[in-house]
Amino acid sequence: AVQRLDDLGFTVTPFSVQQQRGADGEAVPAGAGNTCVMLEDGYLEFLTPLADTPVGRELTAGIERHVGPHIAAFAVADAAAHSNRLAIAGFEQSPPVALRREVEQSDGSRREAAFTVARSAPPGMPEGRFQLLTHHTPEVIWQPRWMTHANGVTGLVATVVLVRSLVEATARFARWFDQTPIACAGGVCFQPGFGTVLLTDSARLARVIPVDPEITVPGIAASILVGSDPGVWADGVEHGGLSWFRAGTALGGALALVPEGEDVPALLASS
């Protein structure tokens, strides 16, 4: 996966082992490791299981379904408070988890990155792991040296979610986001802060994604990025104002690149 990302012109962070706090407050392995593509807005995270822990087993089960996107994470100021809101809205919540991992700094020192993650327990959001997280140390991971990419990509601006029933999923996501949906030609859109989430179903998927994402239903089908040069997807296809690229077996799913300054919801509405 790292080689494929490098081939696509991304700067990739070093591999890092994730940890979480045990009952005694000591750091213990979470059972997963990651590498990231850090963007000015958002980031892409690539995970692999490392141990037989609940996190490791969940990752393994997801990969057995398909290699590709399984998580959509939304940054909030207080993940625990939002988790309480979701519980009131009828979503069973897993207890918030304090994650930690060491990150090398540009001067060679190591600092601990800290996150609080809250997510709806399965099977409340069958499309994937939809979670809320609070970054307590954003400066530790958003380092300038990792945020410049040869392909000109600067941000993650949209996620395409493949659902079984657009009617049922629209009502459920409206409760999850506490938002009114926006009609799009390819389905239904939500805008939780920065970025867009597009819900689509199998009947409408081809209107949005002109390549086979090889994602099981339900699932997260694609990520839409913003950048200065959509032409970097040399073997991609143009569709609805977006340049689409099939990520392949190493990464799974599909990626799209939209030019800077474009209105993504408007593009999705007209695709």
Side-chain angles (χ1 to χ4, degrees), residues 26-108:
E26 293 296 318
V28 296
N34 74 343
T35 188
C36 295
V37 171
M38 304 306 301
L39 305 168
E40 293 177 19
D41 292 301
Y43 61 95
L44 304 175
E45 180 180 15
F46 302 86
L47 288 153
T48 188
L50 297 177
D52 186 19
T53 64
V55 171
R57 289 191 291 272
E58 183 178 359
L59 277 174
T60 299
I63 292 169
E64 288 174 351
R65 286 184 62 211
H66 64 256
V67 175
H70 290 273
I71 301 172
F74 302 90
V76 293
D78 188 339
H82 279 270
S83 182
N84 290 336
R85 175 188 66 79
L86 286 169
I88 294 171
F91 294 92
E92 182 180 351
Q93 294 296 106
S94 297
V97 176
L99 290 176
R100 303 288 186 271
R101 61 184 176 92
E102 282 198 345
V103 180
E104 183 178 351
Q105 304 300 290
S106 58
D107 62 1

Side-chain angles (χ1 to χ4, degrees), residues 3 6 8 14 27 36 40-41 44 61 81 89 102 108 112 146 148 177 184 210 214-215 222 225 235 267-268:
Q3 182 60 58
D6 184 70
L8 290 172
C36 295
E40 293 177 19
D41 292 301
L44 304 175
E102 282 198 345
E112 187 178 71
W146 304 125
T148 300
F177 285 123
C184 295
E214 294 185 342
I215 296 297
L225 309 170
D235 55 352
L267 281 177
L268 293 174

Side-chain angles (χ1 to χ4, degrees), residues 120-131:
S120 297
M125 300 294 281
E127 295 79 12
R129 188 200 300 178
F130 282 77
Q131 63 189 35

Side-chain angles (χ1 to χ4, degrees), residues 16 49 68 73 88 98-99 106 116 136 173 177 188 202 206 224:
S16 177
I88 294 171
L99 290 176
S106 58
T116 298
H136 302 294
F173 275 79
F177 285 123
V188 173
S202 297
I224 300 177

Side-chain angles (χ1 to χ4, degrees), residues 19 21 27 100-103 110-114 137 140:
Q19 296 180 321
R21 297 294 184 191
R100 303 288 186 271
R101 61 184 176 92
E102 282 198 345
V103 180
R110 301 189 71 81
R111 289 186 59 189
E112 187 178 71
T137 54
V140 174

Side-chain angles (χ1 to χ4, degrees), residues 237-259:
V237 293
E238 293 288 334
H239 180 73
L242 288 83
S243 298
W244 283 95
F245 174 79
R246 182 173 174 175
T249 56
L251 304 177
L255 298 170
L257 198 59
V258 60

